[in-house]
């Protein structure tokens, strides 16, 4: 929503907004753009707009929604505005999947930009190469992160159903968003509907390392009316990443297409999951005619996305990392990647179960293995236990800590952020890497920890 606000303002519109909490990097971006954000929700904030854009987290009963309805204002969802104002008539690349959407979209924007196609793009995080999460140009190319979250209280379909993909990437499919989807089959159905939007002269780029992706593609039989490109590290994929290795701060890999070597790449990104993200972008860029050498140079210079293994600071030999990971697969992959990069250093994982899925008991057992790459674990309290309870079950933090401790590693449950920082003040030593994982602000723990380290 913050990115859309910036895009609309860049188009010449006067934009204001309301939210309960806005935190970096979006609060910083909005402040830099001079967009007024009013704290909380009040009918007085609405004034007399030409259009009210309603976010998907806003329910009936919200005073601004109710005022807009009572006064018969024009209101639309975020995806509706994107489609009509920015996407229609352009060549659209939609990046979807349970994991890797933001990084892959950002990679695609960077690569296509280096090809001088000047894409319009919209991603969920701030792209460090660009300094913002969006760009508005007159280009024919539009790149967008395709979210499977519901669209608005008045449109319960996935956001990505509005984005008119010429090319669609589906990196992977897992069960997520337990507040929206009943089970994995419901998630697969949503992605099947996205795949069915790709035109005959477009391409579906499917992550073949994900069994659910294969199953969804197979469900079409002979009725997948677009061109299929499969990718991954498995032998069955048409496009393969092989000979992956990490050395001197870069991940190196080779790309093979139908068994023949196609190109060699390197990227500052770490982890096999990011190699797959890069591979998806290579295929999409090739579909749009980008030269191989441009791809090679672009992937080597990509600076990642805010809150994706982002180094927030290093004080007294302790490195503090900020990451958006919250699903157990993302937690495991993030910690494994950090273990690879920071070999022979202790990985301290600090996790806040904040997303609707991570607060829920759905992944109680799965989180145990998710923390396996860490050497020391602290888990905070469940952010929204009441909502999780209403959904059928709350993640049992004490049980999780007990199970992690059974792996013969220190594991603690600490509720308060200041208490976490105080505990770490007596535990951290030079060489440690602290991976702070949450999809929220986590009480400003990053700066508090860095301040504590500086005062030691």
């Amino acid at each position: 929503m913050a990115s859309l606000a910036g895009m609309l303002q860049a188009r010449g519109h006067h934009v204001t907004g309301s939210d309960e909490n806005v935190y970096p990097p979006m609060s910083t971006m909005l402040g830099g753009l001079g967009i007024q954000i009013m704290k909380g929700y009040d009918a007085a904030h609405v004034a007399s707009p030409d259009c009210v854009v309603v976010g998907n987290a806003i329910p009936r009963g919200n005073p601004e929604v109710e005022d807009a309805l009572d006064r018969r204002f024009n209101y639309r969802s975020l995806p509706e505005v994107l489609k009509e104002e920015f996407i229609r008539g352009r060549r659209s690349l939609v990046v979807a999947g349970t994991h890797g959407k933001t990084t892959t979209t950002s990679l695609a924007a960077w690569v296509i930009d280096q090809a001088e196609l000047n894409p319009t793009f919209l991603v969920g995080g701030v792209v460090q190469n660009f300094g913002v999460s969006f760009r508005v140009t007159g280009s024919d190319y539009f790149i967008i992160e395709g979210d499977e979250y519901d669209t608005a209280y008045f449109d319960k379909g996935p956001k990505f159903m509005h984005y008119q993909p010429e090319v669609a990437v589906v990196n992977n499919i897992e069960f997520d968003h337990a507040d929206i989807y009943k089970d994995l089959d419901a998630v697969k159905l949503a992605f099947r509907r996205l795949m069915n939007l790709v035109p005959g002269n477009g391409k579906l780029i499917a992550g073949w390392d994900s069994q659910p992706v294969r199953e969804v593609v197979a469900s079409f039989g002979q009725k997948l009316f677009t061109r299929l490109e499969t990718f991954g590290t498995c032998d069955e994929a048409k496009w393969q990443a092989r000979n992956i290795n990490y050395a001197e701060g870069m991940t190196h890999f080779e790309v093979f297409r139908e068994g023949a070597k196609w190109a060699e790449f390197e990227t500052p990104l770490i982890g096999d999951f990011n190699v797959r993200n890069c591979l998806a972008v290579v295929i999409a860029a090739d579909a749009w005619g980008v030269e191989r050498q441009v791809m090679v140079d672009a992937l080597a210079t990509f600076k990642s996305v805010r809150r994706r293994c982002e180094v927030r600071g290093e004080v007294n030999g302790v490195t503090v990392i900020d990451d958006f990971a919250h699903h157990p697969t993302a937690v495991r992959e993030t910690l494994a990647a950090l273990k690879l990069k920071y070999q022979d250093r202790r990985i301290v994982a600090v996790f806040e179960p904040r997303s609707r899925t991570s607060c829920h008991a759905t992944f109680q057992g799965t989180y145990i293995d998710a923390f396996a790459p860490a050497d020391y674990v602290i888990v905070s309290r469940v952010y929204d236990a009441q909502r999780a309870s209403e959904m059928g079950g709350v993640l049992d933090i004490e049980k999780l800590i007990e199970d992690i401790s059974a792996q013969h590693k220190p594991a603690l449950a600490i509720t308060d952020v200041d208490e976490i920082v105080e505990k770490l003040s007596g535990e951290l030593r030079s060489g440690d890497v602290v991976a702070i994982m949450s999809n929220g602000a986590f009480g400003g723990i990053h700066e508090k920890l860095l301040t504590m380290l500086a005062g030691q």
Side-chain angles (χ1 to χ4, degrees):
M1 186 67 85
S3 299
L4 177 61
M7 293 172 74
L8 290 171
Q9 179 171 273
R11 275 272 180 99
H13 301 291
H14 175 66
V15 183
T16 63
S18 302
D19 205 340
E20 290 286 2
N21 294 292
V22 184
Y23 48 85
M26 288 306 174
S27 59
T28 306
M29 183 189 79
L30 289 168
L33 293 172
I35 295 176
Q36 181 185 8
I37 300 299
M38 294 162 282
K39 185 173 178 58
Y41 300 105
D42 190 311
H45 295 167
V46 180
S48 298
D50 296 303
C51 181
V52 178
V53 184
V54 182
N56 71 329
I58 305 301
R60 280 300 304 265
N62 177 287
E64 297 186 27
V65 167
E66 296 306 314
D67 185 63
L69 292 174
D70 288 343
R71 297 165 69 187
R72 309 300 192 269
F73 285 144
N74 175 33
Y75 64 91
R76 299 158 79 185
S77 68
L78 176 149
E80 283 183 289
V81 174
L82 283 172
K83 179 173 68 175
E84 296 304 329
E85 297 292 331
F86 298 99
I87 300 176
R88 189 178 296 283
R90 286 194 167 110
R91 304 183 69 178
S92 175
L93 166 61
V94 177
V95 179
T98 304
H99 310 292
K101 293 185 291 292
T102 301
T103 299
T104 306
T105 308
S106 304
L107 273 166
W110 180 243
V111 172
I112 301 302
D113 185 70
Q114 296 306 292
E116 299 184 353
L117 297 180
N118 301 316
T120 297
F121 63 85
L122 176 63
V123 296
V126 172
V127 189
Q128 301 214 48
N129 297 87
F130 296 103
V132 296
S133 57
F134 65 90
R135 171 190 279 169
V136 183
T137 72
S139 168
D140 289 334
Y141 297 88
F142 192 93
I143 302 169
I144 186 166
E145 178 178 338
D147 202 329
E148 67 270 30
Y149 264 117
D150 55 353
T151 298
Y153 81 84
F154 49 86
D155 179 354
K156 305 310 288 184
K159 292 179 184 176
F160 56 44
M161 294 300 291
H162 293 271
Y163 296 156
Q164 299 185 317
E166 174 195 354
V167 179
V169 172
V170 179
N171 277 331
N172 43 66
I173 298 174
E174 285 195 68
F175 179 59
D176 198 4
H177 310 312
D179 53 324
I180 298 174
Y181 296 101
K182 178 182 178 181
D183 50 28
L184 178 58
D185 284 342
V187 177
K188 288 163 69 175
L189 178 59
F191 282 99
R192 189 184 194 281
R193 288 171 172 164
L194 171 65
M195 293 177 185
N196 205 34
L197 292 179
V198 185
N201 61 359
K203 284 191 176 182
L204 170 62
I205 301 171
W208 228 231
D209 289 349
S210 171
Q211 184 59 33
V213 170
R214 295 192 190 198
E215 292 168 359
V216 174
V217 172
S219 72
F220 285 93
Q222 300 300 312
K223 294 186 178 181
L224 182 65
F225 296 108
T226 189
R227 295 172 292 176
L228 176 66
E229 302 281 358
T230 62
F231 72 94
T233 57
C234 61
D235 292 339
E236 297 82 4
K238 178 178 177 180
W239 295 77
Q240 297 172 20
R242 299 182 187 175
N243 304 319
I244 303 168
N245 67 86
Y246 181 81
E248 299 180 350
M250 300 290 281
T251 300
H252 305 263
F253 63 98
E254 297 175 346
V255 170
F256 284 73
R257 184 180 185 273
E258 296 182 307
K261 186 173 177 179
W262 197 78
E264 295 183 11
F265 294 93
E266 61 178 12
T267 175
L269 300 176
I270 54 175
D272 287 358
F273 64 100
N274 273 321
V275 171
R276 288 189 285 267
N277 293 340
C278 289
L279 184 52
V281 169
V282 165
I283 302 166
D286 183 64
W288 278 356
V290 177
E291 295 180 1
R292 293 184 205 185
Q293 190 58 48
V294 171
M295 299 183 208
V296 170
D297 295 341
L299 290 185
T301 56
F302 179 68
K303 296 180 182 178
S304 192
V305 183
R306 292 283 300 275
R307 307 207 66 201
R308 270 63 176 182
C309 287
E310 179 188 0
V311 177
R312 291 289 294 269
E314 183 169 338
V315 179
N316 294 324
V318 177
T319 302
V320 177
I321 304 286
D322 181 17
D323 198 89
F324 200 72
H326 47 94
H327 188 284
T329 298
V331 170
R332 184 184 67 249
E333 295 281 2
T334 295
L335 293 174
L338 291 173
K339 195 72 172 177
L340 176 67
K341 180 175 182 179
Y342 298 101
Q343 296 180 22
D344 303 321
R345 297 177 64 176
R346 188 171 66 150
I347 304 297
V348 178
V350 182
F351 177 61
E352 181 189 36
R354 186 184 183 102
S355 70
R356 295 284 167 79
T357 297
S358 64
C359 290
H360 195 258
T362 304
F363 295 113
Q364 181 74 48
T366 314
Y367 274 117
I368 302 169
D369 292 334
F371 290 98
D375 301 295
Y376 187 108
V377 178
I378 294 177
V379 180
S380 183
R381 52 86 178 95
V382 170
Y383 182 79
D384 193 348
Q386 178 61 38
R387 177 62 183 265
S389 178
E390 292 170 359
M391 289 163 53
V394 183
L395 182 69
D396 187 335
I397 300 297
E398 297 296 335
K399 179 66 167 61
L400 176 59
I401 292 300
E402 178 183 332
D403 291 335
I404 294 173
S405 298
Q407 298 177 336
H408 308 293
K409 71 178 65 180
L412 302 168
I414 305 178
T415 297
D416 184 71
V417 166
D418 291 333
E419 290 181 20
I420 294 173
V421 173
E422 182 179 354
K423 177 64 177 176
L424 289 174
S425 69
E427 295 288 341
L428 295 177
R429 54 184 183 264
S430 180
D432 285 348
V433 177
V434 185
I436 299 173
M437 295 173 288
S438 170
N439 69 326
F442 204 168
I445 189 172
H446 315 84
E447 292 304 320
K448 289 181 178 181
L449 182 57
L450 289 167
T451 299
M452 178 276 293
L453 290 167
Q456 284 185 343

